[in-house]
Amino acid sequence: MNGPSGPTQTPVDHHTSEMMKKTAVLVDGVVLNGPIIDSKAGQRFVEEAYHIIMEDAVKKATDVNEKVCEWLPPEELKKRIDLELRDRGETHQRLLQLCQNTIRYSVKTSHPRFFNQLYAGMDHYSLVARFITEALNPSIYTYEVSPVFLLVEEAVLTKMIEFIGWEGGDGIFSPGGSISNMYALNLARYKYFPEIKERGLYGGPRLVMFTSEECHYSMGKAASFLGIGTDNIYFVKADDRGKMIPEELEKEVQRAKQEGATPFLVSATAGTTVLGAFDPLDKIADVCEKYGLWLHIDASWGGSALMSRKHRKLLHGIQRADSVAWNPHKMLMAGIQCCALLVKDTSNLLQRCHSANASYLFQKDKFYDVKYDTGDKSVQCSRRADAFKFWLTWKAIGTAGLEERVNRALALSRYLVGEIKKREGFQLLMEPEYSNICFWYIPPSLRKMEQGPEFWEKLHQVAPVIKERMMKKGSMMVGYQPHRGKVNFFRQIIISPQVSREDMDFVLDEIDLLGKDL
C-alpha cells in the first residue's frame, strides 16, 4: 500500500539489500544499480485503471441513460479534480480516484446524444488500436523504429488515393485537417517557387491564394504561419447554400493578376463546417487549369462521402485536385486524431519540399530499403501512428462497413429533416446537403410574432439559453451559432452508428422541453 508521502517501492529482502549496498555504484550521489521504476506497482495500476476505463469511459459513456456531461463551472471543477502538482507523488488509490474523476467530469463524445462537433461516437477497433499504439509509444519516421506502422500508413494512403480516383500519388498523416491545409499551401508554393525554401520570402513575388468565404478558418492561419499573409487571401463569394461560385473565383483571379499579384493556389471545400456545403469541384478545377493554379480540396469533413457509392457524387471532380485533406476521424470515427494529406504528385514533391536530411535519422547506408524512412516528408519529427486506428477499423468492418456508416448518417439526417418540417416551432435554414442539419427553434411566445427586427433579435437569444440548460442537465449536446447575417440557430451533426431514430426524436423533444417557456 502506498504511504502518505507517495508510492512505496516493492519490499526488498535483507540479503538482496546487503548485496545492493556492496555493489552500489554512485555517480554525483545517485545510486545507479537497478531501475528506479517499480514495474510491478505500475502494472497493477494499469490493470486497475483499465477496469475504470472500461466501466466509466467505454460502457457508461456510451449508455444513452447516462449524462453526456456532468457540468461544473471552472472554479468548482478545480476543487473536484485537485489539479495541484506536489513535490511528492500521490498514493495508488488517490491516482485511481483522479482517473475516475477525470472521466466523470469530461464530455462523453461517444455518447449517442453528443451532436456538438464534426466527430462523435466510439469505434471499438480504433480504441483498441489506440491502446496498442499508446502502449508501444512509436514514432513514425524510420522503418527501423516503426516497421509495422510505416507499412500500415503506406497501405492506408494507397487505398485512400484509390478512392479519390488518382492512378498514383503520395501522402502523409498529419495532426489535423488544419495542418493538412498548411501542408498543401507549402507544397504549392514550393512547386512554383522552390527557391523560397532556401532564400525565404525576401525578394519573391506577392503570392495570393483563393478560397471560399465559407472556408475553414485554418486557411487564414496557414497563410499567416507560412508568411503568405492573410491580406493575400482572396475570399470568393459563395451562393445561398454556401458553395463557392466559380464565376466569382475567375473574377478574383483576374483581379489579382491586374493588381500585379501572383496567384498560385485555390482551396475548395468539400463539406463546409457550418452548412456542410460542397463546392462545385469540377468547375473550380476548370478555372485552376485555365490559369495554372494548384487545386487543393479541403475535404476534411466531406471526404468520407467517397466511401459511399450513393453519396460520392457530392465530390464529383475531386480526382482533378492536386492535393486533398481528408479526416477519417470525423464521419468514419477513426478516433482523434486521424487526418491525411493526399497529393497527386508522384515526383517525391513532399520529400523535396520538407526534407532536412538529418544524418542521425535518415542515413543512406542502412541495411534495408531506405525508401521506407518517410519521416523527412513531414514537418514534424516525432509523429503518431494515426493511420493504424483507421487501418484496424477498416480491416474489422471492411469497405462495406465504412460505406454503411456514411449511408446511415445521411439517412438519419433526412429523417430528422422530415421531423423538423412536421413540428410546430421548428424551422430549417435550408435543405441539407450532408449531415449538418441547421434549424431554429421558435418558442411559443414568438410563434405569432411578425418576423421583423424585434422577432430576430429575440430569437437570437433562444439557442444560447437552451444550450446552457441542456449542458447543465447533461441530456445532450448540440451546437449553435450565427452565420452570414442569420441569427443563432442549432447545428445538429449526425455521425455515430450508435445513434438511432429515437435519438433524433429525443433531440427535438428535448429542445422543445427546454425552451417552451422562453
Side-chain angles (χ1 to χ4, degrees):
M1 194 68 183
N2 296 327
S5 63
T8 60
Q9 299 298 309
T10 304
V12 179
D13 64 59
H14 178 72
H15 176 72
T16 304
S17 178
E18 288 299 316
M19 288 294 293
M20 288 177 66
K21 287 179 181 177
K22 289 179 182 179
T23 60
V25 175
L26 269 72
V27 175
D28 295 334
V30 177
V31 178
L32 301 185
N33 294 53
I36 63 167
I37 292 177
D38 186 343
S39 294
K40 288 184 179 179
Q43 289 165 11
R44 180 163 59 90
F45 178 75
V46 170
E47 289 173 357
E48 293 183 28
Y50 170 76
H51 290 296
I52 293 173
I53 293 168
M54 281 301 299
E55 188 62 31
D56 294 1
V58 177
K59 294 178 183 178
K60 285 185 181 179
T62 58
D63 185 346
V64 74
N65 297 308
E66 297 286 337
K67 289 185 176 183
V68 177
C69 70
E70 191 165 327
W71 190 88
L72 290 173
E75 295 307 315
E76 178 64 25
L77 186 55
K78 287 178 184 179
K79 296 175 186 175
R80 298 284 184 95
I81 297 293
D82 181 16
L83 299 167
E84 186 181 348
L85 299 170
R86 300 177 175 88
D87 291 341
R88 303 302 295 267
E90 305 281 2
T91 66
H92 179 92
Q93 290 303 320
R94 179 66 179 145
L95 292 172
L96 290 173
Q97 185 62 54
L98 287 169
C99 292
Q100 202 158 26
N101 284 345
T102 297
I103 297 170
R104 178 180 178 182
Y105 296 113
S106 292
V107 174
K108 314 305 186 294
T109 64
S110 53
H111 194 285
R113 291 172 182 166
F114 175 83
F115 303 108
N116 208 68
Q117 317 298 147
L118 302 184
Y119 65 89
M122 177 181 291
D123 179 87
H124 297 90
Y125 305 103
S126 172
L127 181 61
V128 169
R130 280 184 275 179
F131 287 160
I132 292 170
T133 55
E134 291 302 319
L136 292 174
N137 198 31
S139 187
I140 314 303
Y141 35 60
T142 63
Y143 182 82
E144 65 184 286
V145 297
S146 198
V148 175
F149 298 121
L150 274 168
L151 296 182
V152 162
E153 183 173 68
E154 179 185 60
V156 172
L157 290 169
T158 298
K159 200 69 176 176
M160 294 176 80
I161 284 167
E162 179 184 314
F163 271 87
I164 288 174
W166 297 333
E167 293 183 4
D170 199 356
I172 195 99
F173 272 77
S174 78
S178 296
I179 303 300
S180 293
N181 290 337
M182 186 183 74
Y183 266 120
L185 267 63
N186 203 38
L187 282 173
R189 182 172 66 179
Y190 179 80
K191 179 182 178 181
Y192 296 125
F193 305 99
E195 65 276 9
I196 286 177
K197 181 177 179 179
E198 284 79 28
R199 293 173 52 192
L201 301 176
Y202 179 76
R206 179 195 163 207
L207 298 176
V208 298
M209 55 178 282
F210 307 86
T211 191
S212 165
E213 59 185 353
E214 292 283 312
C215 74
H216 190 260
Y217 70 85
S218 62
M219 299 311 299
K221 286 196 172 190
S224 174
F225 189 83
L226 293 172
I228 292 166
T230 54
D231 286 350
N232 293 315
I233 303 174
Y234 285 47
F235 290 101
V236 181
K237 290 179 183 177
D239 64 19
D240 291 340
R241 296 189 57 81
K243 298 170 176 287
M244 186 195 294
I245 303 171
E247 294 78 12
E248 293 296 323
L249 169 62
E250 184 161 18
K251 287 179 185 176
E252 291 298 312
V253 174
Q254 291 172 345
R255 179 169 74 88
K257 291 172 77 69
Q258 288 167 3
E259 292 172 354
T262 303
F264 78 108
L265 173 138
V266 174
S267 179
T269 310
T272 59
T273 304
V274 178
L275 301 178
F278 287 73
D279 288 341
L281 304 181
D282 229 9
K283 291 182 179 179
I284 291 170
D286 288 342
V287 176
C288 291
E289 193 173 289
K290 180 176 179 179
Y291 293 95
L293 306 176
W294 180 288
L295 174 57
H296 173 63
I297 297 176
D298 180 3
S300 297
W301 173 220
S304 295
L306 290 169
M307 306 301 296
S308 167
R309 286 166 291 185
K310 182 177 182 179
H311 297 293
R312 65 175 293 122
K313 60 188 177 185
L314 290 168
L315 296 111
H316 178 71
I318 192 171
Q319 75 282 356
R320 298 177 67 186
D322 295 289
S323 58
V324 174
W326 176 2
N327 293 2
H329 76 223
K330 296 183 185 291
M331 180 67 77
L332 300 178
M333 300 171 58
I336 289 178
Q337 56 203 30
C338 188
C339 315
L341 172 78
L342 305 151
V343 186
K344 184 186 282 186
D345 175 85
T346 56
S347 70
N348 214 17
L349 184 68
L350 260 173
Q351 177 92 15
R352 289 184 284 117
C353 180
H354 298 125
S355 62
N357 298 310
S359 60
Y360 54 85
L361 269 181
F362 307 114
Q363 304 94 331
K364 302 301 181 186
D365 54 357
K366 291 182 178 180
F367 61 95
Y368 59 84
D369 187 349
V370 294
K371 76 177 183 182
Y372 292 103
D373 289 355
T374 60
D376 228 9
K377 293 180 181 180
S378 169
V379 295
Q380 300 167 256
C381 181
S382 300
R383 196 162 59 87
R384 297 172 61 88
D386 291 325
F388 184 61
K389 293 173 286 190
F390 189 30
W391 178 84
L392 194 60
T393 296
W394 204 331
K395 292 287 279 187
I397 67 175
T399 303
L402 296 174
E403 179 178 32
E404 184 181 23
R405 288 185 178 183
V406 176
N407 290 345
R408 180 177 169 82
L410 291 177
L412 280 168
S413 301
R414 302 299 173 263
Y415 172 81
L416 182 62
V417 167
E419 289 301 303
I420 288 171
K421 290 177 178 178
K422 292 178 189 176
R423 298 196 184 206
E424 185 181 9
F426 289 86
Q427 182 178 328
L428 276 175
L429 263 74
M430 63 184 66
E431 289 287 334
E433 194 170 22
Y434 204 38
S435 70
N436 308 46
I437 316 302
C438 300
F439 63 93
W440 286 290
Y441 171 71
I442 304 169
S445 65
L446 300 180
R447 289 176 192 170
K448 293 183 180 179
M449 184 182 291
E450 181 184 350
Q451 293 192 3
E454 185 182 357
F455 169 85
W456 292 112
E457 184 180 341
K458 288 181 178 293
L459 185 60
H460 186 64
Q461 301 169 40
V462 170
V465 174
I466 294 176
K467 178 63 178 279
E468 178 183 354
R469 291 175 177 181
M470 75 171 71
M471 289 290 291
K472 290 181 176 178
K473 184 177 178 182
S475 56
M476 63 181 186
M477 279 185 71
V478 179
Y480 75 88
Q481 67 280 299
H483 186 67
R484 293 180 71 182
K486 293 182 171 63
V487 302
N488 282 324
F489 56 86
F490 289 106
R491 180 195 63 160
Q492 166 94 351
I493 304 295
I494 302 172
I495 296 173
S496 173
Q498 293 165 303
V499 171
S500 66
R501 176 189 62 79
E502 290 82 1
D503 294 312
M504 300 297 97
D505 294 336
F506 177 85
V507 167
L508 301 184
D509 291 341
E510 185 72 354
I511 287 175
D512 190 41
L513 178 67
L514 296 172
K516 62 184 179 182
D517 65 330
L518 296 177

